[in-house]
Amino acid sequence: MAFRLKLVPEHTAIDFFRWQWLTFGFSVVAVIGSILIAVVMGLNFGIDFRGGTTIRTESTQPLEIAAYRAALAPLDLGDVAITEVFDPNFRADQHVASIRIQAQPGQDAMHPEDMARIEAALQGVDPAVVFVSTESVGPKVSGELIWTAIWSVLAGTVAIVIYVWLRFEWQYSIGALASLVHDVVFTIGIFAAFQIKFDLTTIAALLTILGYSINDTVVVFDRLRENLIKYKTMPLRDVMNLSVNETLSRTVMTSGTTLIALVSLLVFGGDVIRGFVFAITWGVIVGTYSSVYVAKNVVLFIGLDRNKEKKDPSDKFFSGGAQDGAP
């Protein structure tokens, strides 16, 4: 007999509404807290959104951040942030620094003369330093990128909500919207709380989170709609519990296998993609949570019209809500 790994028993009877006020209350507090943290602490915008120049250096000598900062101070470059980059894949004698310099007045990119002065100043305190890469973004471009990023996330959210509305009913779309807002805002709050660099790759991660989260939510909603036909007299709360239990094995397996790959990338992928991978990893966790504890709870609060029925919903491309059979 073939061996099959089962992370979840075939038949479970977990009451996901037992602590509904605690779980839903936690989600509401987390969203509000994330907004407050983002407003008070602000996001650690990368060079994409702040404008300026990022210089990546390497040296075989241990880094002295204070010496680097003292060497650049006389150059009058404005706001300069120097951080040491850590990565388990680095060699023992590989010391990497990231130097962020604000955009200079009237410059979209750092002039070669300024770059030469920076190189000379740093080589004066660390002759072994080498300059690996330089990235510049002008203030105008960075401002445009911020609005483009905002509109892209909003457009993705609206498109998903419209799809759910057409595929099911408007109540489902409200639940999906609440779940998506929860996932995105919670993720932004984590980035603000820990001051993780927020750049264009993070926006790509947020869009990926939207797709992953709604995929899991739609699976639960689809099973819910099927069970509403099968169990026409069962209370809505019990039907929802049954639907989540029936899809629990699929949810755990999908999220678990995805997290295995993401954690591997998080540990061994290097610092260049760490922010992107962290955002997706966190998004998978919080997206799975919201599919189980946020989306369906909102639908339950709103309620469903179970008296709507079409004679043959299978012949319609969009059969949303039509299969919620009447008792």
Side-chain angles (χ1 to χ4, degrees):
M1 182 177 180
F3 172 77
R4 292 195 304 166
L5 176 64
K6 293 182 180 179
L7 300 179
V8 177
E10 290 185 2
H11 303 287
T12 59
I14 302 172
D15 185 2
F16 290 97
F17 288 100
R18 182 178 181 181
W19 309 104
Q20 62 175 330
W21 295 112
L22 179 62
T23 56
F24 194 75
F26 166 77
S27 296
V28 172
V29 171
V31 170
I32 296 176
S34 296
I35 294 174
L36 292 177
I37 290 173
V39 171
V40 174
M41 298 184 61
L43 290 168
N44 180 20
F45 286 118
I47 205 69
D48 299 331
F49 296 141
R50 295 183 64 181
T53 300
T54 296
I55 302 171
R56 185 183 177 95
T57 68
E58 287 188 13
S59 177
T60 56
Q61 303 296 324
L63 293 178
E64 296 184 13
I65 302 300
Y68 275 32
R69 187 175 291 110
L72 295 178
L75 302 184
D76 194 22
L77 297 171
D79 184 22
V80 177
I82 306 173
T83 57
E84 184 171 0
V85 179
F86 298 95
D87 192 286
N89 296 320
F90 288 166
R91 304 184 310 273
D93 63 344
Q94 185 178 10
H95 305 280
V96 180
S98 176
I99 304 172
R100 294 193 305 174
I101 302 172
Q102 73 173 46
Q104 302 301 301
Q107 298 182 16
D108 287 335
M110 182 166 291
H111 288 170
E113 295 82 2
D114 292 332
M115 190 63 200
R117 291 195 301 145
I118 293 172
E119 293 179 0
L122 294 180
Q123 288 171 348
V125 296
D126 184 0
V129 67
V130 293
F131 297 84
V132 179
S133 63
T134 303
E135 178 186 4
S136 295
V137 176
K140 181 179 179 181
V141 174
S142 63
E144 293 174 352
L145 288 176
I146 291 177
W147 283 108
T148 301
I150 293 173
W151 286 117
S152 65
V153 174
L154 289 178
T157 304
V158 170
I160 290 173
V161 170
I162 292 175
Y163 162 76
V164 175
W165 191 342
L166 295 176
R167 184 71 177 83
F168 299 96
E169 288 185 15
W170 68 268
Q171 293 96 328
Y172 292 90
S173 66
I174 299 299
L177 177 61
S179 176
L180 295 178
V181 171
H182 170 273
D183 298 345
V184 171
V185 174
F186 203 172
T187 302
I188 292 176
I190 290 295
F191 269 71
F194 293 98
Q195 289 296 290
I196 303 171
K197 187 172 68 172
F198 194 93
D199 52 20
L200 284 178
T201 60
T202 310
I203 298 299
L206 290 178
L207 293 173
T208 304
I209 291 170
L210 292 179
Y212 187 94
S213 177
I214 197 60
N215 177 66
D216 208 29
T217 302
V218 165
V219 169
V220 176
F221 282 172
D222 206 46
R223 183 58 60 89
L224 171 61
R225 189 173 60 179
E226 293 175 0
N227 286 334
L228 285 171
I229 299 173
K230 187 183 298 184
Y231 305 100
K232 297 181 180 181
T233 59
M234 183 182 291
L236 179 58
R237 169 175 167 156
D238 294 339
V239 179
M240 287 185 170
N241 250 333
L242 176 64
S243 302
V244 177
N245 276 283
E246 289 180 346
T247 58
L248 185 60
S249 177
R250 180 261 179 205
T251 298
V252 172
M253 286 297 294
T254 303
S255 300
T257 52
T258 304
L259 285 174
I260 290 174
L262 290 173
V263 171
S264 299
L265 285 174
L266 194 61
V267 175
F268 302 108
D271 66 283
V272 176
I273 63 171
R274 183 156 292 132
F276 172 77
V277 177
F278 174 81
I280 297 182
T281 302
W282 173 256
V284 168
I285 296 172
V286 75
T288 302
Y289 171 87
S290 67
S291 298
V292 175
Y293 287 107
V294 176
K296 67 177 181 54
N297 291 50
V298 172
V299 176
L300 179 64
F301 296 156
I302 298 175
L304 290 173
D305 183 5
R306 301 178 66 178
N307 294 316
K308 296 176 64 177
E309 184 180 43
K310 292 183 180 179
K311 294 182 179 179
D312 186 15
S314 62
D315 63 353
K316 301 295 184 180
F317 181 77
F318 294 114
S319 57
Q323 298 182 29
D324 295 348

